[in-house]
Amino acid sequence: MARILLTGATGGIGKHVASDLANKHVVHPLSRTTSVDGVFASCDLVNEVPQLAEQREGEDAPKIDWIVHLATTYKVADDLAMLDNLIAFAKEHRVDHFLYVSSWVVHFPHRPISASYIEMKRRCEERLLASELHQVQIVRPSVVVGDNLSWTKTLKRLAPWSPLIPHGFSRSFVTVDEVSEVIGDVIAGKQPSPVITVLGRRQPLAEKAAEHQEEFGAWPCWLAIVVGVAALFVITGKAVSPDRYWPTVVLVFLVGGAFWMLLPKLLGCLSDYFAGFVERRFEPSSERDVVALCNRVNDNIRVRGYDNARLYFQRPTSPRHTTVCLKRFCKTLEIDVEKQVAHVQAGANFGHLLPQLESRGLWLENYPNYHFISVGACIATAVHGSNLDKPFLADLVNSIRFYDRDQGGIVTLQRDDPGFGELIFNRVCPQNHIVLSAELQLCPRQYYELTTVSQPIEKLRFENIADRSTNTQHYEVRINSPHSRNAYLQSYRQFSSGESCDSAVPMLRIKADSIGRKWNMLQKNAAMSFLTSSISGAFINYEWFFTPEEFQRFWHEISGDRKRYRLYKLLVRYNREQSHLNTPYHGTVSIDVTIRNTKRMLGISTELFEKFRPLEHLGKYSIERYMKKHA
């Protein structure tokens, strides 16, 4: 049983928290009057440090174990003053634990117009974390709803007008009981994370407000709409000539409707507060914020690396979920030239990492054809390059630090540790193990010589692909379109900067095909990146993995009727088995496929998947997910 100093106990959330905590602990509410139990003197927390009341003769002052700070004035200077006074009390009386109830708004993106409430919460967190108190924890609830709470009252006022609320406005709602439970778990030691964001459930504001409609529902709104439309017809009839009447009415409706649909996005771009109504994704830049958002209390999140799944593989996050995108969690923590290792955060991508390595005379033995893929995604999914000795990017990983959402702690796994192989490619508990950082094995700077041999497609044989692949370090087969008569057998020879290239074949600095080179250039520009992601919606890209024997059957199927199986940009690779890391993806033949995004081609791909049941690349488009969705 802990002894707790609680501020804000008379507020809407504070009353619930105080009542729940009192069932298991001794709670001392701090107020402007002397506490009922006589432990604390009256205190104006903005202007003075809390003081213990004078004790009766022979009694010792109680030892406070926790400070739980919920009180707020909604003013930056006053809230900082309150926090400073509580920190002073904690240091003077050696309080072991300090819990600050902040807000999810600290995750909101920065915008030209900034709300003082958001600035206040951010600065209070910074002040507390810099206080050097023994143990500090922060809880960041989203929009808290419950009896007599301010947001519940707001929803009730909005309820009759809910049909008018743009659907683009949404919030994450959490009940006061859930917040109280998390605070109780923190005090009980069940939530050791220093910062916990409690997101609750994402829901359109109009839908949430409609839940509070009373007997007559939204009739005032519908009445207002009818009156407004009637007024529009009347005003337009008086303002324009009869021959322009209907074009003007249609134009007004179109412009008004477009403005109403774009209003949420417009406000979200201008104001950080309104961004919280529009953005369903967070892009944390610190490990503390990543762990806070991925806490196990949040079962409605989807963690993405560079978010290529949304941009290029038609896998947007559901409106009911919140995306945690790691593209800003992308620091290169250390490059050890002597040991030839790099320690990078999970969101680091190869477009930024490779130039850093090159400047130090280092390189990676393998890397993806498309560079803007995060390191974390290469561990969570079967991302590969053209290297046969180490076919997957995960084969270069020496160690992984990840957040175990089930256990609530950060774990480090070395390559030789039990469980390392199971963690790779999300084979167990997808979305429950969040990669935070990894150590990659490096090599001296490598250059490449590409040899391409053209061969008629009907003469292609894959029976000995494994044997053929032992004669070279890099080998792949490319077929550009269903109309192609020839396949291109490509092999790379790599050599270090100290070696000479005697061949007349030009030396390559980067190992990537022509499409890959162009794509990597486009991704460096935000406007071009948006354009390419828009165009990519017309196509679907997936990748399947087969045993060599199964791949022969599959190849015989698709090559026998190329008019039906209209598959583009085929890329075939052999993924050599590894002695140090054995997964179902090693020892397979993979085929990367692009199809047109049509119902017919998705149906044909579904038939192929059902017939051969290959392993899927979980970072690309999933035919199995498509099947389940349309079952």
Side-chain angles (χ1 to χ4, degrees):
M1 179 179 289
R3 194 176 290 271
I4 302 168
L5 166 59
L6 178 66
T7 70
T10 58
I13 299 174
K15 288 179 181 178
H16 288 81
V17 172
S19 176
D20 289 348
L21 290 179
N23 293 327
K24 296 181 179 179
H25 308 282
V26 178
V27 179
H28 301 294
L30 189 68
S31 69
R32 289 184 174 84
T33 59
T34 303
S35 58
V36 177
D37 53 19
V39 173
F40 282 92
S42 59
C43 176
D44 179 2
L45 192 53
V46 174
N47 299 308
E48 57 186 323
V49 176
Q51 298 292 328
L52 292 168
E54 293 185 9
Q55 304 300 307
R56 298 173 184 173
E57 188 175 347
E59 289 185 358
D60 295 327
K63 172 70 170 67
I64 301 299
D65 303 305
W66 281 84
I67 293 176
V68 178
H69 181 32
L70 287 96
T72 180
T73 64
Y74 296 92
K75 298 176 183 177
V76 177
D78 288 354
D79 270 49
L80 287 171
M82 287 198 299
L83 188 61
D84 286 338
N85 288 328
L86 285 172
I87 291 171
F89 176 87
K91 290 180 176 179
E92 179 184 352
H93 296 274
R94 304 192 179 199
V95 179
D96 295 327
H97 306 277
F98 196 117
L99 173 60
Y100 174 51
V101 180
S102 181
S103 172
W104 72 320
V105 298
V106 299
H107 294 292
F108 289 3
H110 292 275
R111 292 292 187 261
I113 302 173
S114 181
S116 60
Y117 177 74
I118 297 177
E119 180 189 358
M120 176 265 293
K121 288 298 185 183
R122 286 175 177 154
R123 290 183 61 181
C124 283
E125 285 195 14
E126 291 169 2
R127 183 74 59 89
L128 183 58
L129 293 170
S131 66
E132 299 181 353
L133 291 178
H134 176 63
Q135 185 167 342
V136 169
Q137 288 180 271
I138 297 171
V139 173
R140 299 166 172 168
S142 57
V143 178
V144 185
V145 292
D147 293 341
N148 299 317
L149 296 188
S150 60
W151 252 99
T152 302
K153 295 175 183 177
T154 299
L155 290 169
K156 288 180 178 179
R157 288 193 292 269
L158 291 173
W161 309 98
S162 58
L164 282 176
I165 301 174
H167 203 72
F169 284 135
S170 66
R171 290 296 246 180
S172 288
F173 296 96
V174 60
T175 67
V176 68
D177 291 332
E178 290 172 314
V179 175
S180 186
E181 182 181 357
V182 171
I183 292 173
D185 286 346
V186 169
I187 294 172
K190 298 177 182 178
Q191 280 280 10
S193 297
V195 184
I196 303 163
T197 300
V198 189
L199 291 175
R201 282 152 296 284
R202 194 86 191 185
Q203 199 170 357
L205 189 60
E207 181 182 295
K208 189 68 176 178
E211 293 177 2
H212 296 271
Q213 289 177 358
E214 297 181 353
E215 181 180 356
F216 298 104
W219 69 264
C221 175
W222 294 115
L223 180 61
I225 291 173
V226 170
V227 172
V229 170
L232 173 65
F233 281 114
V234 172
I235 294 171
T236 304
K238 293 181 178 180
V240 300
S241 59
D243 58 322
R244 295 184 180 180
Y245 177 76
W246 284 111
T248 303
V249 169
V250 172
L251 181 63
V252 169
F253 271 105
L254 290 175
V255 172
F259 174 77
W260 202 242
M261 290 175 64
L262 293 174
L263 180 62
K265 226 29 175 173
L266 178 63
L267 292 175
C269 290
L270 294 175
S271 164
D272 55 4
Y273 179 74
F274 279 104
F277 285 88
V278 179
E279 298 291 344
R280 299 197 310 269
R281 56 189 277 121
F282 295 115
E283 297 181 356
S285 59
S286 69
E287 183 174 296
R288 181 180 67 224
D289 286 347
V290 172
V291 172
L293 288 164
C294 295
N295 191 278
R296 63 176 179 266
V297 300
N298 299 322
D299 57 3
N300 65 331
I301 64 167
R302 293 294 179 266
V303 182
R304 301 267 175 90
Y306 208 71
D307 210 6
N308 289 319
R310 174 181 64 89
L311 294 172
Y312 306 112
F313 300 116
Q314 288 76 52
R315 285 171 51 196
T317 302
S318 162
R320 304 286 174 172
H321 292 83
T322 299
T323 298
V324 180
C325 178
L326 303 185
K327 65 186 299 181
R328 298 187 189 278
F329 183 58
C330 58
K331 292 180 182 176
T332 300
L333 302 173
E334 180 187 16
I335 298 176
D336 191 319
V337 177
E338 184 177 342
K339 294 182 179 179
Q340 294 191 354
V341 295
H343 188 203
V344 298
Q345 290 179 330
N349 66 72
F350 298 90
H352 296 147
L353 178 59
L354 288 173
Q356 295 179 50
L357 299 179
E358 185 176 29
S359 67
R360 294 166 172 82
L362 298 172
W363 206 239
L364 290 166
E365 289 186 65
N366 200 9
Y367 47 87
N369 193 35
Y370 302 107
H371 293 170
F372 288 87
I373 299 174
S374 69
V375 170
C378 294
I379 295 171
T381 61
V383 177
H384 57 72
S386 300
N387 190 299
L388 290 167
D389 290 333
K390 296 179 179 178
F392 296 102
L393 276 298
D395 293 315
L396 305 178
V397 176
N398 293 330
S399 64
I400 304 170
R401 286 181 71 254
F402 67 93
Y403 176 62
D404 188 332
R405 298 185 68 199
D406 292 329
Q407 302 300 321
I410 295 175
V411 181
T412 300
L413 273 183
Q414 304 294 329
R415 174 174 290 278
D416 297 331
D417 290 343
F420 185 90
E422 283 70 27
L423 180 67
I424 297 296
F425 306 153
N426 262 345
R427 293 169 58 206
V428 293
C429 303
Q431 293 284 322
N432 280 3
H433 296 152
I434 311 302
V435 178
L436 299 174
S437 61
E439 183 185 89
L440 303 178
Q441 186 62 51
L442 308 178
C443 67
R445 177 64 167 103
Q446 300 291 319
Y447 298 90
Y448 310 96
E449 177 186 276
L450 172 62
T451 302
T452 302
V453 177
S454 176
Q455 186 177 90
I457 291 176
E458 62 269 16
K459 293 184 178 181
L460 275 180
R461 298 292 182 270
F462 292 98
E463 291 85 350
N464 62 342
I465 188 171
D467 297 332
R468 187 184 306 179
S469 300
T470 59
N471 300 323
T472 181
Q473 291 176 314
H474 311 266
Y475 177 76
E476 57 196 29
V477 179
R478 293 181 179 272
I479 303 171
N480 293 327
S481 81
H483 312 292
S484 300
R485 294 183 178 181
N486 295 322
Y488 299 94
L489 285 60
Q490 297 183 324
S491 61
Y492 291 90
R493 184 176 77 88
Q494 68 182 34
F495 50 91
S496 64
S497 56
E499 298 179 68
S500 61
C501 180
D502 300 327
S503 172
V505 178
M507 181 183 72
L508 301 177
R509 294 181 65 255
I510 293 288
K511 183 175 56 178
D513 61 22
S514 58
I515 297 176
R517 291 191 189 94
K518 293 182 179 70
W519 194 270
N520 293 331
M521 290 295 296
L522 292 172
Q523 298 313 294
K524 295 178 181 179
N525 181 283
M528 295 306 297
S529 178
F530 174 78
L531 179 63
T532 54
S533 67
S534 301
I535 294 173
S536 66
F539 301 93
I540 284 174
N541 174 232
Y542 56 82
E543 187 167 4
W544 291 346
F545 298 80
F546 302 83
T547 64
E549 296 76 21
E550 280 295 302
F551 183 76
Q552 291 180 49
R553 290 181 54 239
F554 175 79
W555 178 253
H556 179 74
E557 174 81 21
I558 64 172
S559 62
D561 190 357
R562 295 180 65 203
K563 288 185 177 179
R564 181 171 190 264
Y565 299 114
R566 302 179 65 81
L567 310 179
Y568 292 83
K569 208 173 74 65
L570 298 181
L571 172 59
V572 181
R573 287 173 172 144
Y574 177 66
N575 307 297
R576 188 178 292 165
E577 291 181 344
Q578 303 289 300
S579 58
H580 58 279
L581 181 61
N582 190 18
T583 73
Y585 290 88
H586 287 88
T588 63
V589 179
S590 60
I591 182 166
D592 192 318
V593 178
T594 297
I595 62 172
R596 290 176 178 171
N597 189 358
T598 64
K599 188 175 182 179
R600 177 178 177 273
M601 288 309 303
L602 281 166
I604 290 173
S605 298
T606 298
E607 291 174 13
L608 283 172
F609 185 85
E610 289 181 319
K611 184 173 182 177
F612 294 96
R613 285 289 168 178
L615 288 172
E616 287 192 297
H617 188 313
L618 298 178
K620 297 186 178 183
Y621 190 89
S622 170
I623 295 297
E624 186 172 21
R625 284 196 192 99
Y626 174 82
M627 289 167 52
K628 291 178 179 177
K629 183 178 179 181
H630 295 85

